[in-house]
Amino acid sequence: MTETARRPFDAAEEQVIARDFAKLSARHAAWLGARGLTGGPWFILGSAPDPHVPDLFPPRTAHIHVKYAGRAARQNGLPPGDLTFLLTKTKPEEIAGLSLDSILRLCKRHSLLTRLRRDLPFLKAKECALTDRERDAFIIGTLGTLFGGGDEIRPSNGVALIAYAIAVGIPQIIVAGISLDSDGYAYDRSVRTRRHLAEDRAALAVVAERYPQVTTTEPGLSRATGMPLLGSVAAG
């Protein structure tokens, strides 16, 4: 990818991207509602090493996994994901053995089939597509910008999923397994250096400032961003 293609979007471009934010949020909320995934808390789990897992979850908590965090969930005795965020390029071996009840799939563009699955919630489709541009719209619509001043032009998919949860009206959002100071993954500590650090730090600080319904179980993430710790978690 060229440097020109990777340049950050300016403010006017971001507003164009987010112009259908309200309609987009309503469509996804309807799909999630048909799958039984609205109305209760979400526990969003990323794959950073050594996630802090609460002893007790609020009633009706849905377990939401970023990419392959189902492996980290299994390591920590957590249930399978109720919703898993995956990429189009996800390989079968990367999700082998994981239970995928509902899937939010990032893709380049919609087909007629993916639009029908999203826009006709009575179908109760297991999978819903989210384009790259729509992911950006959720971030801009909730946080105001893509924070493209670092090495990347947008925050990570973990932050995008937090923005998504805010946009569709999830009343309580608990974040775990997302780190700004540790590399690798819970299931593979040899992986390359973590990306999106500057963008994630800036984005999560805005989350902490604007959205009190978002808490974290991670003391380090709380200290770095001001996001409040879940009440049952001790500061460490």
Side-chain angles (χ1 to χ4, degrees):
M1 185 177 293
T2 66
E3 289 300 318
T4 300
R6 289 185 61 85
R7 70 172 179 80
F9 297 101
D10 64 32
E13 290 172 317
E14 289 186 341
Q15 292 310 302
V16 171
I17 291 169
R19 63 187 173 190
D20 292 328
F21 168 71
K23 185 183 298 184
L24 181 67
S25 299
R27 285 172 172 165
H28 278 267
W31 174 74
L32 291 164
R35 301 292 298 173
L37 292 170
T38 56
W42 276 18
F43 177 69
I44 296 179
L45 180 65
S47 295
D50 304 314
H52 288 73
V53 175
D55 293 329
L56 293 173
F57 290 93
R60 298 179 57 228
T61 296
H63 288 256
I64 315 298
H65 294 162
V66 184
K67 295 172 63 177
Y68 321 128
R71 299 183 189 177
R74 191 163 52 195
Q75 290 173 350
N76 287 275
L78 294 172
D82 297 293
L83 175 68
T84 303
F85 180 86
L86 294 176
L87 310 181
T88 301
K89 63 182 180 181
T90 298
K91 300 175 182 177
E93 58 268 25
E94 291 173 322
I95 54 175
L98 297 182
S99 176
L100 303 174
D101 186 57
S102 298
I103 298 170
L104 182 65
R105 178 89 64 175
L106 188 66
C107 62
K108 294 297 182 184
R109 61 187 62 85
H110 280 292
S111 66
L112 176 59
L113 180 59
T114 63
R115 287 187 184 278
L116 290 174
R117 285 173 173 168
R118 183 196 66 186
D119 296 345
L120 300 177
F122 64 83
L123 295 177
K124 297 185 178 181
K126 175 179 178 176
E127 184 165 322
C128 182
L130 177 73
T131 68
D132 294 332
R133 188 179 180 91
E134 289 170 344
R135 173 194 54 192
D136 290 349
F138 278 115
I139 297 171
I140 298 165
T142 54
L143 306 182
T145 181
L146 288 174
F147 307 94
D151 294 332
E152 305 289 337
I153 64 172
R154 59 176 59 85
S156 67
N157 287 322
V159 170
L161 196 53
I162 294 170
Y164 179 85
I166 294 168
V168 299
I170 301 305
Q172 182 181 5
I173 301 162
I174 304 166
V175 177
I178 292 179
S179 175
L180 297 174
D181 53 22
S182 62
D183 293 329
Y185 297 113
Y187 50 83
D188 186 355
R189 295 172 186 259
S190 67
V191 176
R192 65 188 182 279
T193 302
R194 190 173 302 281
R195 298 166 52 199
H196 305 278
L197 289 179
E199 296 80 9
D200 282 4
R201 186 182 300 273
L204 291 171
V206 173
V207 170
E209 179 182 351
R210 294 186 183 178
Y211 299 106
Q213 71 269 37
V214 184
T215 61
T216 183
T217 63
E218 305 293 348
L221 190 64
S222 176
R223 289 191 296 269
T225 65
M227 189 183 300
L229 274 176
L230 184 67
S232 61
V233 176

